[in-house]
Amino acid sequence: MGQRSPLVTLAATAVGLVVLLVVDSTQTGPAPAYTSTAPVTSTPTTTAPATTPPPTPAAAPQQTVTPQAQRTIVYAGRTTKREASVAIAVKGDRAVAYVCDGRRLEAWLTGTFTTGQLALRSRTGERLVGRATAKSAVGTFTLRGRTLHFAISAAGPPAGLYRSASNSRTIGWIVLPDGSQVGVDNDGTPAAAPRLDLASRVASVDGVQVTAQSITGDETF
């Protein structure tokens, strides 16, 4: 065999290189796409806290209103012509009156006090009508067919109206603002009332002690 020409050798080498490049390109193929393995961080969803409505204020406990105690006012004095003494006790819408001459004549009356007006009556038919304010009472009283007028003032203790009652007798006392007492002891035969000890509200009747009650105006006889 003869020697190859250098050109032939060079050409063969070039062809080999081309073949190698073609084979390598078919085996290699396109480069794979890059896949990230980094962890996916999700953005937390912010949830607004639930709005809690303000608490409903507890209802205030109902207060039991206690009515104010009814005030008692006592008026005491004499009739205009001084024929008799008069005492009137008023409490709320009720009233009690006592009229006496300190010897034999007397009357207990009960009734109403409405919008300043007095309307009282006794069991035996005597009547007292008038009007009263915080300081005074004026009106008329009918006793044994006579009409007596009075204008008397409010009187503070111990002035006022007192009464002692039992099955056998009733005693009434009017204590006037000057401290004097007028009353009748009626056991069927009326007479002047014994003196009443205002500190103890005790009087002696025929050697027996009796206790008097302060009349406030809402009593019934």
Side-chain angles (χ1 to χ4, degrees), residues 68 93 199:
Q68 183 179 5
D93 60 355

Side-chain angles (χ1 to χ4, degrees), residues 1-13:
M1 286 179 55
Q3 295 182 343
R4 292 181 180 182
S5 170
L7 292 174
V8 172
T9 302
L10 182 61
T13 301

Side-chain angles (χ1 to χ4, degrees), residues 90-174:
V90 174
K91 184 176 183 180
D93 60 355
R94 301 295 301 171
V96 171
Y98 181 56
V99 182
C100 72
D101 64 0
R103 297 182 299 274
R104 295 182 59 83
L105 297 179
E106 68 165 354
W108 287 96
L109 306 95
T110 60
T112 61
F113 176 65
T114 307
T115 62
Q117 301 298 310
L118 293 162
L120 292 81
R121 182 182 179 128
S122 72
R123 289 186 175 182
T124 54
E126 288 86 7
R127 294 178 180 273
L128 184 150
V129 294
R131 64 183 184 277
T133 66
K135 296 183 178 180
S136 63
V138 298
T140 60
F141 170 72
T142 303
L143 176 65
R144 303 284 180 88
R146 299 176 60 189
T147 299
L148 309 180
H149 298 263
F150 63 87
I152 58 180
S153 300
L161 178 56
Y162 301 85
R163 175 184 169 100
S164 173
S166 67
N167 293 332
S168 59
R169 70 189 334 127
T170 299
I171 308 174
W173 291 271
I174 296 173

Side-chain angles (χ1 to χ4, degrees), residues 17 21 25-26 31 35 43 59 83 88-89 93 98 100 102 105 140 145 147-148 173-175 185 187 191 196:
L17 289 174
L21 288 174
S25 65
T26 58
T35 302
T43 303
E83 305 99 332
I88 304 171
D93 60 355
Y98 181 56
C100 72
L105 297 179
T140 60
T147 299
L148 309 180
W173 291 271
I174 296 173
V175 179
D185 175 6
D187 61 355
L196 177 66

